[in-house]
Structure formats: C-alpha cells, structure tokens
Amino acid sequence: MCRHLAYLGPPASLRALLIDPPFGLYRQAWAPRRQRHGTVNADGFGVGWYADGDPVPARYRRDVPMWGDPSLADLARVTRSRAVLAAVRSATPGMAAGPAAAAPFASGRWLFSHNGALSGWPGSAEPLAVLSDLNVILTLEAMVDSAFLWALVLGRLRAGAPAEVALGATIRSVEAAGGSGRFNFLLTDGESVFGTAAGDTLWYRLAGAGVTVASEPSDDEPGWTEVPDRHVVTAAPSGAAIRPLTAVTEGITT
Ligand code: GLN
C-alpha cells in the first residue's frame, strides 16, 4: 500500500527530503523495500509543508506517479520547510481516483496520511458511520477509506483529544465497531509528528537536529529505529517516544 514520511527539523528542501535520498519516497513510488501490501505506489502522491510564520500548511497533490510529474523536481528544488508530510499512493481497489484522494488530507494546521485499508469500504463504513456525524461524512475530501478515517480522527482532535489519543482511539473504536484493516496513520501540526504502526511498517530517525518518521528508511545510514506493530510514535526534533496503542487509549471510553 502507500508509503508516507514526515520530517521536522532545520529547513530542508523538498528535494533533499523526498527525491535525493537513495531509497526515499520518490524511489519508493516504484521500488519500496519494506512494503507489506501492494507493489508500486503509482496512483498519485501528495506533499504538505509549512512556511515560516504561517501555521496552515500548503499542499501539492497529483493523481500521477511521483516520477511522472514534470513540475515536481523544480518545485522541490526551491521549496524549503521545517515541517513536511508527504505520501505516495497505491489506491486500494474500489477507492476513488484523483488528486483529492491522495494524502495528505488537511484541516487547519493538521496534515494526515493513512497507509493501509479499511476492509470492505464503503459498505463496512455503514455501521462505523455512527462514530461520526453526518456533517463530517458529507464533507469528506474524497470517497476513500483514508478520508473517512481522517474525519474520525479530526472529530476527536476537534473535541480536544491529544493527537496520539485521537489516532489510537480512532483505531480502537473502528475495531470495536467490527471494522478491520490496516491503520498506519501519520499526523503532524508542524511542531510534532504522531505515527501509528498497525499492520504495516513504520520507522523513525533522529538526525542532524531533525526527526523523520517514515514507512521505511530512505537510506542505509545508521540511526533508523523500527516502531513495533500496534504502537504509536510521538516525535519532535528534541526526541521520540514509542508507546503501545493500548497504553495511549487507556481510560478512554468512547
Ligand atoms: N486505502 C488508501 C487508498 O486507497 C491507502 C492505500 C494505501 O495505503 N496504499 O488510498
């Protein structure tokens, strides 16, 4: 399925973060090394980034493979940021196509990506819809399981849940309502990054005063740590912590 990456740290060009690394997201579009489901990620891509002094990120999303966009290299060369979230997409069968279906999904200062699938979408979402309200469903960015899951996460963020709780409780409530699938989420507000490992691979690395959380290492340099399955990583340039999903949602009853 998809591959995604978030970076927080000293200003870096999108090119340095996504295209230059030998096994970076650009290459993962056709040759991921650790992906557990799917082969290539050629159904679109998206990049979200924060400009200094503006809490609301910009997004650039396309429905072509990352290597097939003639504008990306140029844009990536001159765009620098301290906070980036990007994804390459392998559409789950039955999901909508188009740029609006490509991560990152966004609201206000948040950027979100989902690597995985909600089994049986959209039929399976019917009982899960009670977890959300109609307004949220009607404003989905695209008819994709990821947009639906993002709506559930966002509902929890808006209700005041800390980010890692919003992610963990969404997975727990979907599973409690009978939903199954793979739920590797990546979320950032430009200050911290939160990632879940729930069915596919997730790694992080603290290096050069920055932190990267990604589906898989973008190079063979030392410093990458794998996040165990059913865990959540909370990371900032100052450090990272890994906790079991069950610990994050302990005491949360909804
Ligand atoms: N299910 C999502 C989609 O169709 C994510 C797919 C993935 O992880 N490959 O876009």
Side-chain angles (χ1 to χ4, degrees), residues 1-2 41 89-92 95 101 114-117 144-146:
M1 302 271 105
C2 310
N41 299 290
R89 182 178 184 215
S90 165
T92 303
M95 303 297 156
H114 167 223
N115 159 216
V144 181
D145 55 353
S146 310

Side-chain angles (χ1 to χ4, degrees), residues 145-215:
D145 55 353
S146 310
F148 175 70
L149 293 164
W150 168 227
L152 299 183
V153 170
L154 186 58
R156 288 179 182 276
L157 291 172
R158 286 189 174 143
E164 65 273 33
V165 173
L167 297 180
T170 295
I171 296 173
R172 204 191 54 177
S173 61
V174 164
E175 291 177 340
S180 64
R182 298 183 303 279
F183 306 111
N184 280 44
F185 298 149
L186 204 51
L187 176 70
T188 185
D189 58 358
E191 305 283 337
S192 304
V193 50
F194 311 89
T196 58
D200 213 319
T201 55
L202 188 70
W203 295 70
Y204 75 91
R205 178 172 64 181
L206 288 155
V211 64
T212 301
V213 180
S215 301

Side-chain angles (χ1 to χ4, degrees), residues 37-250:
H37 301 269
T39 47
V40 296
N41 299 290
D43 296 318
F45 70 93
V47 187
W49 70 96
Y50 298 77
D52 279 349
D54 188 341
V56 177
R59 282 187 297 170
Y60 180 74
R61 296 183 295 163
R62 296 292 314 274
D63 57 359
V64 298
M66 205 179 222
W67 70 82
D69 181 341
S71 303
L72 181 66
D74 226 21
L75 186 73
R77 183 175 52 84
V78 299
T79 306
R80 300 169 69 77
S81 177
R82 297 174 194 275
V84 175
L85 192 154
V88 289
R89 182 178 184 215
S90 165
T92 303
M95 303 297 156
F105 299 95
S107 180
R109 62 201 174 101
W110 296 105
L111 291 173
F112 172 86
S113 170
H114 167 223
N115 159 216
L118 175 58
S119 304
W121 167 272
S124 63
E126 221 171 280
L128 305 180
V130 296
L131 299 170
S132 191
D133 64 48
L134 186 61
N135 203 25
V136 168
I137 308 270
L138 290 174
T139 53
L140 289 187
E141 276 195 63
M143 279 302 288
V144 181
D145 55 353
S146 310
F148 175 70
L149 293 164
W150 168 227
L152 299 183
V153 170
L154 186 58
R156 288 179 182 276
L157 291 172
R158 286 189 174 143
E164 65 273 33
V165 173
L167 297 180
T170 295
I171 296 173
R172 204 191 54 177
S173 61
V174 164
E175 291 177 340
S180 64
R182 298 183 303 279
F183 306 111
N184 280 44
F185 298 149
L186 204 51
L187 176 70
T188 185
D189 58 358
E191 305 283 337
S192 304
V193 50
F194 311 89
T196 58
D200 213 319
T201 55
L202 188 70
W203 295 70
Y204 75 91
R205 178 172 64 181
L206 288 155
V211 64
T212 301
V213 180
S215 301
E216 55 183 66
S218 39
D219 57 40
D220 287 336
E221 301 303 315
W224 291 99
T225 301
E226 183 158 21
V227 180
D229 200 47
R230 307 295 297 185
H231 281 65
V232 56
V233 59
T234 302
S238 54
I242 297 178
R243 285 195 290 162
L245 278 171
T246 48
V248 170
T249 54
E250 222 161 54

